[in-house]
Amino acid sequence: MTASYDVAVLGAGPAGAAAAIEASSHGLRTIVFDEHIAAGGQVYRTSPRIEGNGDADGDRLRDAFGKAGIDRRLAHRVWHIERGDKGFGVYALGPDGPFNATAKTLIVATGAQERYVPFDGWDLPGVMGLASATVLLKSQRVLPGKCVVVAGAGPLLYAVAHGIVAGGGRVAAVVDAQPRHAWWRPDVLSRPDLVLRGIAWLNALWHAGVPIFRGRVVRSVMREGEALRVCVVGNGRVREIACDTVCCGFGLMPSTDVTRLLGATHAYEPSLGGWHVVVDDDQRTDVRGLYAAGDVAGVVGAAAAPFQGRIAARSAARNLGRTVDSEGKRERDRAARFGRAMTRLTQVDDEVIAAIPTGVTMCVCEGLNRATLEAAIDDGCATINDLKSATRCGMGACGGRVCEDSVARLIALKTSRTREEIGQATGRSPLRPVELDAIAGDFDYDALPMPAPAPL
Amino acid sequence: MNEHSLRIGNRGAPIHFRFDGKPIEAFDGETVSTALWASGVRAFDGGRTYFCAMGVCQQCAVWIDGTRVEACRAVARNGLDVRSGA
């Protein structure tokens, strides 16, 4: 038994929640899937019942989302989607087992994930992403460590460093890959409120005596008893810093698993976080009935996301025969400009990729180091899919989500091919690891239709 | 590492689950990963406690009451039997 809907939305972050609320307001039967137990996405992620977690924007979103008459499937992991004549089949696994639905239109609001760049020691316990540190600080109200090096690029650096200091921890250093002048651009200054917040963060870090190293990156992390020793390079200098935790990330990349699986067109644009699904002015992809909103269509941040979501829902409503105007495009584009400026600050220089030592594991799931991958590239692997076939790179439990970007950069470095030529890994289900017996659910083995044996 | 010092602010009464047979203290609303991290467990047989924190990297995958699940997505509950290993 499969329930049917007008609109299915994947993701209950700021884009998905806004899309679902809008779709429902036009009388469309709407269902939303999200892996987390509460709406809000990663940006407004919350954990009910922990004092002081979450924020006002997230609470407003959850309140509106809860009242909108939407079929909410939280704590549901979507592992497969298929496209048919009448729409989309969505296969999910929830707390009560498998749950499947069909929908005439599908709005993908799967957001973004963090970009990791390998360095010597990046696979040590105590090294985590910047986005993970945000989850720990904001939703779980736990410090990532007592003495932390915060490294990488983009605004998350300062959000995390400030969060640690405000929570009573110590930041041993902030290591920002960008030089100071990279931040002073007109499109950054277009949101004075956020600039002021950033200045307040910097002020708090200054008062806490936190050193900020700009134009530098983490070269290696070594374990020294219980502690970690971080080697920071750049500007012709080498510096060693002791800490117990390293948080390192280089911005966000669109989570395109679903849109790749469904065969939509994608494009590579560094200032949008790299590979993203292509949408038109109405948030339509080039697959009929398939819409995308939020960071999956290019990382432009949470301020633009609700506008994108509502525009996508209105497009879907028109597709389903409702008379609905398009609105909010100017607001969307204005918010996206600032978000895109933030994404621009998270670029990774070629030198950082070139400096990865040959012995460093790049594909953690399959245990493949740079030397192994380079040997395969020298043998003729020229695309991500080539390398996948030759070495199993990206075929482990994470599905290449952790290593694909840096491995593609390695191919580019070795072969001088463009990212378009190197391509993306082909989208496959299951979209996330699921247990076979869990998705099979309860069934009576004797009731299974068995084909007659082939005649001898 | 001092066990409680990583938690910011007040928590209610503790709950407990078992990790590879060892009791771990947790608080309402925490994930299994968070409780392990706050208890000083940074890695275990076959994985790291915290890397991506959002169900992507699979490094914190554990067995909970016989089901394979990411510890960063599993809500800590009293009496859970959490085990490491592939």
Side-chain angles (χ1 to χ4, degrees):
Chain A
M1 163 79 192
T2 305
S4 64
Y5 296 83
D6 296 313
V7 181
V9 182
L10 302 185
I21 293 167
E22 182 74 23
S24 183
S25 78
H26 296 289
L28 302 171
R29 234 171 102 70
T30 306
I31 184 168
V32 181
F33 295 90
D34 196 285
E35 281 194 333
H36 195 50
I37 52 170
Q42 296 300 341
V43 63
Y44 303 131
R45 183 157 155 176
T46 185
S47 183
R49 297 190 301 276
I50 294 180
E51 200 175 295
N53 93 92
D55 48 45
D57 288 337
D59 289 343
R60 268 195 297 276
L61 176 149
R62 282 180 281 276
D63 185 49
F65 184 66
K67 290 177 181 162
I70 305 159
D71 191 347
R72 289 166 288 148
R73 297 286 162 166
L74 299 170
H76 276 65
R77 164 163 276 189
V78 173
W79 60 273
H80 180 57
I81 297 166
E82 62 191 10
R83 187 155 59 101
D85 297 338
K86 289 180 183 152
F88 301 87
V90 181
Y91 296 79
L93 189 59
D96 304 322
F99 176 84
N100 306 329
T102 61
K104 292 174 193 153
T105 59
L106 183 67
I107 299 175
V108 180
T110 45
Q113 64 148 85
E114 190 155 30
R115 174 184 292 106
Y116 306 105
V117 179
F119 50 80
D120 196 6
W122 79 302
D123 47 356
L124 285 174
V127 179
M128 66 166 77
L130 280 179
S132 345
T134 313
V135 170
L136 264 175
L137 285 164
K138 274 179 31 178
S139 119
Q140 297 283 291
R141 301 299 288 147
V142 168
L143 292 168
K146 286 171 139 182
C147 178
V148 187
V149 168
V150 181
L156 265 190
L157 274 177
Y158 299 95
V160 167
H162 174 256
I164 292 169
V165 169
R170 198 161 81 77
V171 176
V174 173
V175 183
D176 186 342
Q178 296 288 347
R180 188 193 304 267
H181 62 77
W183 288 85
W184 298 109
R185 295 171 47 100
D187 42 10
V188 173
L189 301 176
S190 72
R191 281 290 302 272
D193 54 327
L194 296 181
V195 171
L196 282 178
R197 192 174 66 177
I199 290 171
W201 287 344
L202 285 172
N203 196 32
L205 294 178
W206 184 78
H207 275 287
V210 175
I212 300 178
F213 301 115
R214 297 175 193 273
R216 301 190 214 186
V217 293
V218 169
R219 177 55 38 87
S220 66
V221 176
M222 276 172 27
R223 201 194 330 234
E224 240 177 23
E226 289 282 282
L228 298 174
R229 197 166 50 156
V230 185
C231 176
V232 172
V233 298
N235 293 341
R237 296 198 197 176
V238 181
R239 187 185 286 267
E240 297 208 328
I241 304 164
C243 64
D244 60 47
T245 304
V246 178
C247 304
C248 188
F250 284 85
L252 305 177
M253 307 184 291
S255 294
T256 59
D257 319 87
V258 172
T259 47
R260 270 184 288 146
L261 179 69
L262 293 171
T265 294
H266 292 71
Y268 184 80
E269 171 50 54
S271 70
L272 289 172
W275 284 108
H276 59 279
V277 64
V278 175
V279 292
D280 66 10
D281 200 40
D282 291 301
Q283 305 293 140
R284 290 181 296 201
T285 73
D286 60 349
V287 172
R288 186 143 57 112
L290 182 66
Y291 306 81
D295 284 349
V296 66
V299 177
V300 294
F307 296 110
Q308 295 174 313
R310 285 193 282 272
I311 293 165
R314 286 167 164 263
S315 298
R318 275 198 300 279
N319 182 346
L320 295 166
R322 305 294 199 278
T323 309
V324 182
D325 289 338
S326 205
E327 60 178 43
K329 287 181 180 174
R330 200 160 7 130
E331 292 88 340
R332 172 195 63 188
D333 296 343
R334 193 186 312 140
R337 263 197 296 283
F338 178 81
R340 194 164 176 168
M342 291 295 109
T343 303
R344 268 200 197 93
L345 288 165
T346 63
Q347 315 290 313
V348 185
D349 288 341
D350 274 346
E351 299 90 83
V352 179
I353 306 293
I356 300 169
T358 51
V360 166
T361 302
M362 293 186 72
C363 170
V364 175
C365 300
E366 295 293 315
L368 302 168
N369 65 22
R370 174 173 175 163
T372 306
L373 297 172
E374 277 193 338
I377 297 167
D378 289 339
D379 282 345
C381 288
T383 67
I384 275 287
N385 279 334
D386 287 350
L387 207 53
K388 194 171 159 182
S389 309
T391 65
R392 286 194 56 82
C393 179
M395 289 178 74
C398 89
R401 289 168 189 92
V402 174
C403 67
E404 186 176 317
D405 187 67
S406 57
V407 168
R409 291 288 297 265
L410 183 66
I411 301 177
L413 206 63
K414 297 276 295 174
T415 65
S416 302
R417 290 164 69 93
T418 65
R419 286 298 292 269
E420 286 81 1
E421 291 168 326
I422 292 160
Q424 297 177 280
T426 307
R428 305 268 187 215
S429 58
L431 295 160
R432 289 286 188 279
V434 279
E435 287 195 294
L436 265 184
D437 58 350
I439 58 179
D442 289 328
F443 61 89
D444 178 4
Y445 192 84
D446 292 327
L448 288 178
M450 295 294 283
L456 290 171
Chain B
M1 198 174 285
N2 179 349
E3 295 215 344
H4 305 286
S5 61
L6 291 178
R7 290 186 173 95
I8 304 166
N10 297 321
R11 298 288 206 270
I15 55 175
H16 292 87
F17 62 85
R18 299 189 84 75
F19 179 66
D20 288 341
K22 209 179 83 183
I24 298 284
E25 188 177 73
F27 293 87
D28 205 12
E30 294 182 353
T31 65
V32 168
S33 270
T34 294
L36 289 172
W37 188 263
S39 304
V41 179
R42 301 196 140 199
F44 44 76
D45 181 19
R48 274 192 279 182
T49 312
Y50 250 111
F51 183 68
C52 85
M54 48 187 76
V56 170
C57 77
Q58 301 299 311
Q59 294 193 21
C60 70
V62 291
W63 298 97
I64 298 185
D65 294 337
T67 299
R68 192 72 169 163
V69 60
E70 299 97 335
C72 71
R73 294 201 321 125
V75 177
R77 292 188 206 289
N78 230 347
L80 287 182
D81 179 24
V82 183
R83 288 168 196 271
S84 68

